[in-house]
Amino acid sequence: MANNLFDVLNPRMFSVFSREDRRSNFDMLKLIFDLFQDSEKSTTIEKEGLVEYLVAFIRGRSFDVLVDEDGENIVAKDAKTKALTKIRQFKKAGWLEEDTSEGFSVLYSLSDN
């Protein structure tokens, strides 16, 4: 018997699409997916590179609303804080997985889900 989709997915996976900033979350997740695709099919990206990539994207956009995990609007925060907040949110929701390399670098990969 096949598993139900919700038996294998993180229950919070779609929470980022039920918030006020769902369109921005989708755009950022698509950007992250594209980054992995453009990185010569790399399976991991160092935290610093991912943060820089998101910061550049965030600086090039104007957001009416951008919320953290608690639903607080973070539009007034600096671009790096916004990027780190969104990475944390995507990790908690199961979109990103975090690992520490032998050199203690933090690496991110896309979830198999």
Side-chain angles (χ1 to χ4, degrees), residues 74-112:
I74 59 170
V75 167
K77 304 280 186 185
D78 64 277
K80 186 172 183 178
T81 300
K82 291 175 189 173
L84 289 168
T85 299
K86 286 302 174 178
I87 289 170
R88 209 171 27 255
Q89 189 177 28
F90 297 153
K91 181 183 148 210
K92 189 174 183 178
W95 289 96
L96 293 173
E97 294 180 0
E98 183 179 276
D99 193 21
T100 305
S101 70
E102 290 180 21
F104 301 106
S105 299
V106 176
L107 302 173
Y108 285 99
S109 61
L110 290 173
S111 167
D112 288 341

PDB file of all heavy atoms in Angstrom, residues 74-112:
ATOM      1  N   ILE A  74       9.130  41.737   9.148  1.00  0.00           N
ATOM      2  CA  ILE A  74      10.563  42.057   9.221  1.00  0.00           C
ATOM      3  C   ILE A  74      11.011  42.960   8.072  1.00  0.00           C
ATOM      4  O   ILE A  74      12.196  43.076   7.792  1.00  0.00           O
ATOM      5  CB  ILE A  74      11.423  40.770   9.255  1.00  0.00           C
ATOM      6  CG1 ILE A  74      11.183  39.911   8.012  1.00  0.00           C
ATOM      7  CG2 ILE A  74      11.168  39.991  10.532  1.00  0.00           C
ATOM      8  CD1 ILE A  74      12.170  38.760   7.863  1.00  0.00           C
ATOM      9  N   VAL A  75      10.065  43.642   7.432  1.00  0.00           N
ATOM     10  CA  VAL A  75      10.387  44.502   6.295  1.00  0.00           C
ATOM     11  C   VAL A  75      11.419  45.565   6.666  1.00  0.00           C
ATOM     12  O   VAL A  75      12.292  45.890   5.860  1.00  0.00           O
ATOM     13  CB  VAL A  75       9.104  45.151   5.714  1.00  0.00           C
ATOM     14  CG1 VAL A  75       9.431  46.271   4.749  1.00  0.00           C
ATOM     15  CG2 VAL A  75       8.266  44.101   5.031  1.00  0.00           C
ATOM     16  N   ALA A  76      11.363  46.079   7.869  1.00  0.00           N
ATOM     17  CA  ALA A  76      12.269  47.152   8.276  1.00  0.00           C
ATOM     18  C   ALA A  76      13.678  46.654   8.623  1.00  0.00           C
ATOM     19  O   ALA A  76      14.588  47.459   8.784  1.00  0.00           O
ATOM     20  CB  ALA A  76      11.686  47.904   9.479  1.00  0.00           C
ATOM     21  N   LYS A  77      13.869  45.357   8.701  1.00  0.00           N
ATOM     22  CA  LYS A  77      15.185  44.795   9.034  1.00  0.00           C
ATOM     23  C   LYS A  77      16.124  44.914   7.837  1.00  0.00           C
ATOM     24  O   LYS A  77      15.694  45.095   6.699  1.00  0.00           O
ATOM     25  CB  LYS A  77      15.054  43.316   9.430  1.00  0.00           C
ATOM     26  CG  LYS A  77      14.105  43.062  10.568  1.00  0.00           C
ATOM     27  CD  LYS A  77      14.748  43.355  11.877  1.00  0.00           C
ATOM     28  CE  LYS A  77      13.813  42.953  13.018  1.00  0.00           C
ATOM     29  NZ  LYS A  77      14.307  43.297  14.295  1.00  0.00           N
ATOM     30  N   ASP A  78      17.430  44.783   8.105  1.00  0.00           N
ATOM     31  CA  ASP A  78      18.405  44.835   7.012  1.00  0.00           C
ATOM     32  C   ASP A  78      18.326  43.546   6.188  1.00  0.00           C
ATOM     33  O   ASP A  78      17.778  42.532   6.631  1.00  0.00           O
ATOM     34  CB  ASP A  78      19.816  45.048   7.559  1.00  0.00           C
ATOM     35  CG  ASP A  78      20.285  43.904   8.424  1.00  0.00           C
ATOM     36  OD1 ASP A  78      19.933  43.885   9.623  1.00  0.00           O
ATOM     37  OD2 ASP A  78      20.990  43.030   7.903  1.00  0.00           O
ATOM     38  N   ALA A  79      18.887  43.581   4.983  1.00  0.00           N
ATOM     39  CA  ALA A  79      18.770  42.466   4.040  1.00  0.00           C
ATOM     40  C   ALA A  79      19.383  41.171   4.588  1.00  0.00           C
ATOM     41  O   ALA A  79      18.833  40.091   4.376  1.00  0.00           O
ATOM     42  CB  ALA A  79      19.428  42.837   2.713  1.00  0.00           C
ATOM     43  N   LYS A  80      20.491  41.264   5.297  1.00  0.00           N
ATOM     44  CA  LYS A  80      21.122  40.049   5.826  1.00  0.00           C
ATOM     45  C   LYS A  80      20.235  39.393   6.888  1.00  0.00           C
ATOM     46  O   LYS A  80      20.088  38.172   6.911  1.00  0.00           O
ATOM     47  CB  LYS A  80      22.506  40.349   6.392  1.00  0.00           C
ATOM     48  CG  LYS A  80      23.228  39.096   6.819  1.00  0.00           C
ATOM     49  CD  LYS A  80      24.668  39.356   7.193  1.00  0.00           C
ATOM     50  CE  LYS A  80      25.357  38.048   7.543  1.00  0.00           C
ATOM     51  NZ  LYS A  80      26.758  38.226   7.871  1.00  0.00           N
ATOM     52  N   THR A  81      19.636  40.195   7.749  1.00  0.00           N
ATOM     53  CA  THR A  81      18.734  39.653   8.767  1.00  0.00           C
ATOM     54  C   THR A  81      17.536  38.981   8.107  1.00  0.00           C
ATOM     55  O   THR A  81      17.107  37.902   8.524  1.00  0.00           O
ATOM     56  CB  THR A  81      18.269  40.763   9.733  1.00  0.00           C
ATOM     57  OG1 THR A  81      19.423  41.319  10.369  1.00  0.00           O
ATOM     58  CG2 THR A  81      17.305  40.243  10.768  1.00  0.00           C
ATOM     59  N   LYS A  82      17.003  39.601   7.069  1.00  0.00           N
ATOM     60  CA  LYS A  82      15.881  39.007   6.338  1.00  0.00           C
ATOM     61  C   LYS A  82      16.288  37.667   5.730  1.00  0.00           C
ATOM     62  O   LYS A  82      15.553  36.679   5.833  1.00  0.00           O
ATOM     63  CB  LYS A  82      15.403  39.941   5.227  1.00  0.00           C
ATOM     64  CG  LYS A  82      14.723  41.196   5.713  1.00  0.00           C
ATOM     65  CD  LYS A  82      14.403  42.092   4.524  1.00  0.00           C
ATOM     66  CE  LYS A  82      13.930  43.451   4.977  1.00  0.00           C
ATOM     67  NZ  LYS A  82      13.764  44.377   3.848  1.00  0.00           N
ATOM     68  N   ALA A  83      17.459  37.618   5.110  1.00  0.00           N
ATOM     69  CA  ALA A  83      17.936  36.385   4.481  1.00  0.00           C
ATOM     70  C   ALA A  83      18.117  35.287   5.518  1.00  0.00           C
ATOM     71  O   ALA A  83      17.664  34.151   5.316  1.00  0.00           O
ATOM     72  CB  ALA A  83      19.245  36.649   3.733  1.00  0.00           C
ATOM     73  N   LEU A  84      18.760  35.603   6.621  1.00  0.00           N
ATOM     74  CA  LEU A  84      18.978  34.602   7.676  1.00  0.00           C
ATOM     75  C   LEU A  84      17.656  34.123   8.271  1.00  0.00           C
ATOM     76  O   LEU A  84      17.492  32.929   8.559  1.00  0.00           O
ATOM     77  CB  LEU A  84      19.882  35.175   8.766  1.00  0.00           C
ATOM     78  CG  LEU A  84      21.346  35.369   8.376  1.00  0.00           C
ATOM     79  CD1 LEU A  84      22.081  36.210   9.416  1.00  0.00           C
ATOM     80  CD2 LEU A  84      22.037  34.026   8.178  1.00  0.00           C
ATOM     81  N   THR A  85      16.722  35.035   8.429  1.00  0.00           N
ATOM     82  CA  THR A  85      15.404  34.679   8.961  1.00  0.00           C
ATOM     83  C   THR A  85      14.682  33.726   8.017  1.00  0.00           C
ATOM     84  O   THR A  85      14.093  32.731   8.451  1.00  0.00           O
ATOM     85  CB  THR A  85      14.557  35.950   9.197  1.00  0.00           C
ATOM     86  OG1 THR A  85      15.224  36.776  10.149  1.00  0.00           O
ATOM     87  CG2 THR A  85      13.160  35.614   9.686  1.00  0.00           C
ATOM     88  N   LYS A  86      14.725  34.015   6.737  1.00  0.00           N
ATOM     89  CA  LYS A  86      14.049  33.163   5.759  1.00  0.00           C
ATOM     90  C   LYS A  86      14.727  31.800   5.650  1.00  0.00           C
ATOM     91  O   LYS A  86      14.052  30.776   5.544  1.00  0.00           O
ATOM     92  CB  LYS A  86      13.968  33.856   4.393  1.00  0.00           C
ATOM     93  CG  LYS A  86      12.939  34.957   4.375  1.00  0.00           C
ATOM     94  CD  LYS A  86      11.587  34.375   4.729  1.00  0.00           C
ATOM     95  CE  LYS A  86      10.507  35.386   4.882  1.00  0.00           C
ATOM     96  NZ  LYS A  86       9.207  34.765   5.189  1.00  0.00           N
ATOM     97  N   ILE A  87      16.044  31.753   5.706  1.00  0.00           N
ATOM     98  CA  ILE A  87      16.751  30.475   5.675  1.00  0.00           C
ATOM     99  C   ILE A  87      16.333  29.626   6.873  1.00  0.00           C
ATOM    100  O   ILE A  87      16.034  28.440   6.738  1.00  0.00           O
ATOM    101  CB  ILE A  87      18.278  30.683   5.642  1.00  0.00           C
ATOM    102  CG1 ILE A  87      18.692  31.239   4.280  1.00  0.00           C
ATOM    103  CG2 ILE A  87      19.017  29.381   5.954  1.00  0.00           C
ATOM    104  CD1 ILE A  87      20.131  31.707   4.208  1.00  0.00           C
ATOM    105  N   ARG A  88      16.285  30.240   8.041  1.00  0.00           N
ATOM    106  CA  ARG A  88      15.859  29.538   9.255  1.00  0.00           C
ATOM    107  C   ARG A  88      14.418  29.024   9.101  1.00  0.00           C
ATOM    108  O   ARG A  88      14.097  27.893   9.453  1.00  0.00           O
ATOM    109  CB  ARG A  88      15.981  30.496  10.446  1.00  0.00           C
ATOM    110  CG  ARG A  88      16.244  29.859  11.753  1.00  0.00           C
ATOM    111  CD  ARG A  88      16.566  30.828  12.882  1.00  0.00           C
ATOM    112  NE  ARG A  88      16.031  32.167  12.805  1.00  0.00           N
ATOM    113  CZ  ARG A  88      16.753  33.256  12.490  1.00  0.00           C
ATOM    114  NH1 ARG A  88      18.034  33.158  12.231  1.00  0.00           N
ATOM    115  NH2 ARG A  88      16.196  34.445  12.440  1.00  0.00           N
ATOM    116  N   GLN A  89      13.564  29.871   8.547  1.00  0.00           N
ATOM    117  CA  GLN A  89      12.161  29.495   8.343  1.00  0.00           C
ATOM    118  C   GLN A  89      12.046  28.335   7.348  1.00  0.00           C
ATOM    119  O   GLN A  89      11.293  27.384   7.584  1.00  0.00           O
ATOM    120  CB  GLN A  89      11.386  30.712   7.843  1.00  0.00           C
ATOM    121  CG  GLN A  89       9.900  30.549   7.799  1.00  0.00           C
ATOM    122  CD  GLN A  89       9.203  31.833   7.364  1.00  0.00           C
ATOM    123  OE1 GLN A  89       9.775  32.642   6.625  1.00  0.00           O
ATOM    124  NE2 GLN A  89       7.990  32.022   7.815  1.00  0.00           N
ATOM    125  N   PHE A  90      12.791  28.387   6.262  1.00  0.00           N
ATOM    126  CA  PHE A  90      12.743  27.321   5.255  1.00  0.00           C
ATOM    127  C   PHE A  90      13.325  26.020   5.812  1.00  0.00           C
ATOM    128  O   PHE A  90      12.851  24.938   5.485  1.00  0.00           O
ATOM    129  CB  PHE A  90      13.473  27.733   3.983  1.00  0.00           C
ATOM    130  CG  PHE A  90      12.859  28.917   3.277  1.00  0.00           C
ATOM    131  CD1 PHE A  90      13.640  29.749   2.495  1.00  0.00           C
ATOM    132  CD2 PHE A  90      11.509  29.217   3.387  1.00  0.00           C
ATOM    133  CE1 PHE A  90      13.096  30.841   1.827  1.00  0.00           C
ATOM    134  CE2 PHE A  90      10.944  30.303   2.727  1.00  0.00           C
ATOM    135  CZ  PHE A  90      11.742  31.111   1.938  1.00  0.00           C
ATOM    136  N   LYS A  91      14.323  26.139   6.657  1.00  0.00           N
ATOM    137  CA  LYS A  91      14.899  24.952   7.292  1.00  0.00           C
ATOM    138  C   LYS A  91      13.878  24.308   8.234  1.00  0.00           C
ATOM    139  O   LYS A  91      13.650  23.106   8.196  1.00  0.00           O
ATOM    140  CB  LYS A  91      16.167  25.333   8.057  1.00  0.00           C
ATOM    141  CG  LYS A  91      16.846  24.168   8.713  1.00  0.00           C
ATOM    142  CD  LYS A  91      18.054  24.630   9.501  1.00  0.00           C
ATOM    143  CE  LYS A  91      18.231  23.722  10.680  1.00  0.00           C
ATOM    144  NZ  LYS A  91      18.809  24.331  11.821  1.00  0.00           N
ATOM    145  N   LYS A  92      13.251  25.123   9.040  1.00  0.00           N
ATOM    146  CA  LYS A  92      12.258  24.621  10.000  1.00  0.00           C
ATOM    147  C   LYS A  92      11.067  23.980   9.283  1.00  0.00           C
ATOM    148  O   LYS A  92      10.510  22.990   9.760  1.00  0.00           O
ATOM    149  CB  LYS A  92      11.795  25.767  10.894  1.00  0.00           C
ATOM    150  CG  LYS A  92      10.937  25.329  12.046  1.00  0.00           C
ATOM    151  CD  LYS A  92      10.651  26.494  12.967  1.00  0.00           C
ATOM    152  CE  LYS A  92       9.852  26.054  14.165  1.00  0.00           C
ATOM    153  NZ  LYS A  92       9.601  27.162  15.090  1.00  0.00           N
ATOM    154  N   ALA A  93      10.701  24.533   8.128  1.00  0.00           N
ATOM    155  CA  ALA A  93       9.566  24.004   7.369  1.00  0.00           C
ATOM    156  C   ALA A  93       9.942  22.768   6.552  1.00  0.00           C
ATOM    157  O   ALA A  93       9.066  22.120   5.986  1.00  0.00           O
ATOM    158  CB  ALA A  93       9.009  25.082   6.444  1.00  0.00           C
ATOM    159  N   GLY A  94      11.227  22.439   6.495  1.00  0.00           N
ATOM    160  CA  GLY A  94      11.635  21.230   5.800  1.00  0.00           C
ATOM    161  C   GLY A  94      12.058  21.408   4.355  1.00  0.00           C
ATOM    162  O   GLY A  94      12.288  20.430   3.646  1.00  0.00           O
ATOM    163  N   TRP A  95      12.195  22.629   3.895  1.00  0.00           N
ATOM    164  CA  TRP A  95      12.646  22.874   2.520  1.00  0.00           C
ATOM    165  C   TRP A  95      14.159  22.749   2.403  1.00  0.00           C
ATOM    166  O   TRP A  95      14.668  22.341   1.366  1.00  0.00           O
ATOM    167  CB  TRP A  95      12.205  24.257   2.041  1.00  0.00           C
ATOM    168  CG  TRP A  95      10.734  24.333   1.797  1.00  0.00           C
ATOM    169  CD1 TRP A  95       9.777  24.791   2.659  1.00  0.00           C
ATOM    170  CD2 TRP A  95      10.031  23.898   0.640  1.00  0.00           C
ATOM    171  NE1 TRP A  95       8.539  24.674   2.103  1.00  0.00           N
ATOM    172  CE2 TRP A  95       8.655  24.137   0.861  1.00  0.00           C
ATOM    173  CE3 TRP A  95      10.432  23.341  -0.571  1.00  0.00           C
ATOM    174  CZ2 TRP A  95       7.681  23.830  -0.087  1.00  0.00           C
ATOM    175  CZ3 TRP A  95       9.455  23.038  -1.519  1.00  0.00           C
ATOM    176  CH2 TRP A  95       8.107  23.289  -1.270  1.00  0.00           C
ATOM    177  N   LEU A  96      14.862  23.150   3.441  1.00  0.00           N
ATOM    178  CA  LEU A  96      16.330  23.090   3.454  1.00  0.00           C
ATOM    179  C   LEU A  96      16.790  22.170   4.573  1.00  0.00           C
ATOM    180  O   LEU A  96      16.158  22.109   5.631  1.00  0.00           O
ATOM    181  CB  LEU A  96      16.930  24.482   3.687  1.00  0.00           C
ATOM    182  CG  LEU A  96      16.747  25.514   2.589  1.00  0.00           C
ATOM    183  CD1 LEU A  96      17.254  26.883   3.059  1.00  0.00           C
ATOM    184  CD2 LEU A  96      17.493  25.095   1.329  1.00  0.00           C
ATOM    185  N   GLU A  97      17.898  21.510   4.337  1.00  0.00           N
ATOM    186  CA  GLU A  97      18.536  20.708   5.369  1.00  0.00           C
ATOM    187  C   GLU A  97      19.908  21.301   5.640  1.00  0.00           C
ATOM    188  O   GLU A  97      20.585  21.758   4.728  1.00  0.00           O
ATOM    189  CB  GLU A  97      18.657  19.252   4.913  1.00  0.00           C
ATOM    190  CG  GLU A  97      17.304  18.592   4.769  1.00  0.00           C
ATOM    191  CD  GLU A  97      17.387  17.144   4.306  1.00  0.00           C
ATOM    192  OE1 GLU A  97      18.512  16.647   4.091  1.00  0.00           O
ATOM    193  OE2 GLU A  97      16.326  16.544   4.151  1.00  0.00           O
ATOM    194  N   GLU A  98      20.290  21.281   6.907  1.00  0.00           N
ATOM    195  CA  GLU A  98      21.555  21.876   7.323  1.00  0.00           C
ATOM    196  C   GLU A  98      22.500  20.777   7.799  1.00  0.00           C
ATOM    197  O   GLU A  98      22.080  19.847   8.485  1.00  0.00           O
ATOM    198  CB  GLU A  98      21.291  22.871   8.458  1.00  0.00           C
ATOM    199  CG  GLU A  98      22.507  23.610   8.933  1.00  0.00           C
ATOM    200  CD  GLU A  98      22.162  24.592  10.048  1.00  0.00           C
ATOM    201  OE1 GLU A  98      21.743  25.708   9.722  1.00  0.00           O
ATOM    202  OE2 GLU A  98      22.301  24.203  11.216  1.00  0.00           O
ATOM    203  N   ASP A  99      23.767  20.908   7.428  1.00  0.00           N
ATOM    204  CA  ASP A  99      24.784  19.950   7.843  1.00  0.00           C
ATOM    205  C   ASP A  99      26.060  20.736   8.114  1.00  0.00           C
ATOM    206  O   ASP A  99      26.258  21.821   7.567  1.00  0.00           O
ATOM    207  CB  ASP A  99      25.013  18.908   6.750  1.00  0.00           C
ATOM    208  CG  ASP A  99      25.808  17.710   7.232  1.00  0.00           C
ATOM    209  OD1 ASP A  99      25.848  17.472   8.460  1.00  0.00           O
ATOM    210  OD2 ASP A  99      26.381  17.010   6.380  1.00  0.00           O
ATOM    211  N   THR A 100      26.909  20.190   8.953  1.00  0.00           N
ATOM    212  CA  THR A 100      28.190  20.818   9.243  1.00  0.00           C
ATOM    213  C   THR A 100      29.285  19.947   8.648  1.00  0.00           C
ATOM    214  O   THR A 100      29.326  18.738   8.895  1.00  0.00           O
ATOM    215  CB  THR A 100      28.401  20.963  10.762  1.00  0.00           C
ATOM    216  OG1 THR A 100      27.286  21.681  11.296  1.00  0.00           O
ATOM    217  CG2 THR A 100      29.666  21.729  11.072  1.00  0.00           C
ATOM    218  N   SER A 101      30.166  20.572   7.861  1.00  0.00           N
ATOM    219  CA  SER A 101      31.234  19.817   7.216  1.00  0.00           C
ATOM    220  C   SER A 101      32.369  19.565   8.201  1.00  0.00           C
ATOM    221  O   SER A 101      32.359  20.058   9.329  1.00  0.00           O
ATOM    222  CB  SER A 101      31.755  20.585   5.998  1.00  0.00           C
ATOM    223  OG  SER A 101      32.467  21.732   6.418  1.00  0.00           O
ATOM    224  N   GLU A 102      33.367  18.829   7.760  1.00  0.00           N
ATOM    225  CA  GLU A 102      34.519  18.530   8.602  1.00  0.00           C
ATOM    226  C   GLU A 102      35.228  19.802   9.053  1.00  0.00           C
ATOM    227  O   GLU A 102      35.790  19.854  10.126  1.00  0.00           O
ATOM    228  CB  GLU A 102      35.491  17.621   7.856  1.00  0.00           C
ATOM    229  CG  GLU A 102      34.961  16.226   7.662  1.00  0.00           C
ATOM    230  CD  GLU A 102      35.939  15.345   6.910  1.00  0.00           C
ATOM    231  OE1 GLU A 102      37.147  15.657   6.889  1.00  0.00           O
ATOM    232  OE2 GLU A 102      35.490  14.335   6.354  1.00  0.00           O
ATOM    233  N   GLY A 103      35.241  20.816   8.213  1.00  0.00           N
ATOM    234  CA  GLY A 103      35.874  22.082   8.558  1.00  0.00           C
ATOM    235  C   GLY A 103      34.950  23.010   9.330  1.00  0.00           C
ATOM    236  O   GLY A 103      35.220  24.185   9.481  1.00  0.00           O
ATOM    237  N   PHE A 104      33.859  22.479   9.819  1.00  0.00           N
ATOM    238  CA  PHE A 104      32.864  23.210  10.608  1.00  0.00           C
ATOM    239  C   PHE A 104      32.146  24.288   9.812  1.00  0.00           C
ATOM    240  O   PHE A 104      31.578  25.204  10.380  1.00  0.00           O
ATOM    241  CB  PHE A 104      33.488  23.803  11.881  1.00  0.00           C
ATOM    242  CG  PHE A 104      34.086  22.743  12.765  1.00  0.00           C
ATOM    243  CD1 PHE A 104      35.458  22.588  12.853  1.00  0.00           C
ATOM    244  CD2 PHE A 104      33.273  21.880  13.463  1.00  0.00           C
ATOM    245  CE1 PHE A 104      36.014  21.606  13.655  1.00  0.00           C
ATOM    246  CE2 PHE A 104      33.809  20.888  14.263  1.00  0.00           C
ATOM    247  CZ  PHE A 104      35.187  20.749  14.358  1.00  0.00           C
ATOM    248  N   SER A 105      32.155  24.167   8.486  1.00  0.00           N
ATOM    249  CA  SER A 105      31.352  25.054   7.649  1.00  0.00           C
ATOM    250  C   SER A 105      29.917  24.542   7.676  1.00  0.00           C
ATOM    251  O   SER A 105      29.678  23.336   7.683  1.00  0.00           O
ATOM    252  CB  SER A 105      31.835  25.042   6.198  1.00  0.00           C
ATOM    253  OG  SER A 105      33.150  25.472   6.101  1.00  0.00           O
ATOM    254  N   VAL A 106      28.975  25.456   7.669  1.00  0.00           N
ATOM    255  CA  VAL A 106      27.565  25.069   7.610  1.00  0.00           C
ATOM    256  C   VAL A 106      27.182  24.963   6.143  1.00  0.00           C
ATOM    257  O   VAL A 106      27.416  25.884   5.354  1.00  0.00           O
ATOM    258  CB  VAL A 106      26.674  26.091   8.347  1.00  0.00           C
ATOM    259  CG1 VAL A 106      25.203  25.734   8.189  1.00  0.00           C
ATOM    260  CG2 VAL A 106      27.056  26.170   9.811  1.00  0.00           C
ATOM    261  N   LEU A 107      26.620  23.813   5.793  1.00  0.00           N
ATOM    262  CA  LEU A 107      26.203  23.542   4.425  1.00  0.00           C
ATOM    263  C   LEU A 107      24.695  23.343   4.373  1.00  0.00           C
ATOM    264  O   LEU A 107      24.108  22.776   5.297  1.00  0.00           O
ATOM    265  CB  LEU A 107      26.887  22.279   3.895  1.00  0.00           C
ATOM    266  CG  LEU A 107      28.403  22.268   3.889  1.00  0.00           C
ATOM    267  CD1 LEU A 107      28.915  20.889   3.512  1.00  0.00           C
ATOM    268  CD2 LEU A 107      28.962  23.316   2.964  1.00  0.00           C
ATOM    269  N   TYR A 108      24.090  23.806   3.300  1.00  0.00           N
ATOM    270  CA  TYR A 108      22.666  23.605   3.096  1.00  0.00           C
ATOM    271  C   TYR A 108      22.448  22.769   1.841  1.00  0.00           C
ATOM    272  O   TYR A 108      23.187  22.877   0.871  1.00  0.00           O
ATOM    273  CB  TYR A 108      21.932  24.942   2.946  1.00  0.00           C
ATOM    274  CG  TYR A 108      21.770  25.669   4.243  1.00  0.00           C
ATOM    275  CD1 TYR A 108      22.625  26.697   4.605  1.00  0.00           C
ATOM    276  CD2 TYR A 108      20.778  25.291   5.137  1.00  0.00           C
ATOM    277  CE1 TYR A 108      22.491  27.343   5.806  1.00  0.00           C
ATOM    278  CE2 TYR A 108      20.633  25.942   6.358  1.00  0.00           C
ATOM    279  CZ  TYR A 108      21.493  26.956   6.676  1.00  0.00           C
ATOM    280  OH  TYR A 108      21.353  27.592   7.883  1.00  0.00           O
ATOM    281  N   SER A 109      21.418  21.946   1.905  1.00  0.00           N
ATOM    282  CA  SER A 109      20.977  21.185   0.739  1.00  0.00           C
ATOM    283  C   SER A 109      19.461  21.268   0.684  1.00  0.00           C
ATOM    284  O   SER A 109      18.810  21.590   1.680  1.00  0.00           O
ATOM    285  CB  SER A 109      21.448  19.736   0.834  1.00  0.00           C
ATOM    286  OG  SER A 109      20.914  19.113   1.983  1.00  0.00           O
ATOM    287  N   LEU A 110      18.926  20.979  -0.489  1.00  0.00           N
ATOM    288  CA  LEU A 110      17.480  20.931  -0.617  1.00  0.00           C
ATOM    289  C   LEU A 110      16.986  19.625  -0.018  1.00  0.00           C
ATOM    290  O   LEU A 110      17.633  18.586  -0.160  1.00  0.00           O
ATOM    291  CB  LEU A 110      17.064  20.995  -2.084  1.00  0.00           C
ATOM    292  CG  LEU A 110      17.284  22.317  -2.790  1.00  0.00           C
ATOM    293  CD1 LEU A 110      16.992  22.172  -4.283  1.00  0.00           C
ATOM    294  CD2 LEU A 110      16.418  23.398  -2.187  1.00  0.00           C
ATOM    295  N   SER A 111      15.875  19.685   0.634  1.00  0.00           N
ATOM    296  CA  SER A 111      15.259  18.497   1.207  1.00  0.00           C
ATOM    297  C   SER A 111      14.853  17.554   0.078  1.00  0.00           C
ATOM    298  O   SER A 111      14.494  17.984  -1.014  1.00  0.00           O
ATOM    299  CB  SER A 111      14.032  18.907   2.005  1.00  0.00           C
ATOM    300  OG  SER A 111      13.261  17.797   2.330  1.00  0.00           O
ATOM    301  N   ASP A 112      14.903  16.270   0.332  1.00  0.00           N
ATOM    302  CA  ASP A 112      14.456  15.290  -0.667  1.00  0.00           C
ATOM    303  C   ASP A 112      12.968  15.430  -0.952  1.00  0.00           C
ATOM    304  O   ASP A 112      12.500  14.994  -1.981  1.00  0.00           O
ATOM    305  CB  ASP A 112      14.752  13.875  -0.179  1.00  0.00           C
ATOM    306  CG  ASP A 112      16.234  13.557  -0.215  1.00  0.00           C
ATOM    307  OD1 ASP A 112      16.984  14.255  -0.925  1.00  0.00           O
ATOM    308  OD2 ASP A 112      16.641  12.610   0.484  1.00  0.00           O
TER     309      ASP A 112
END
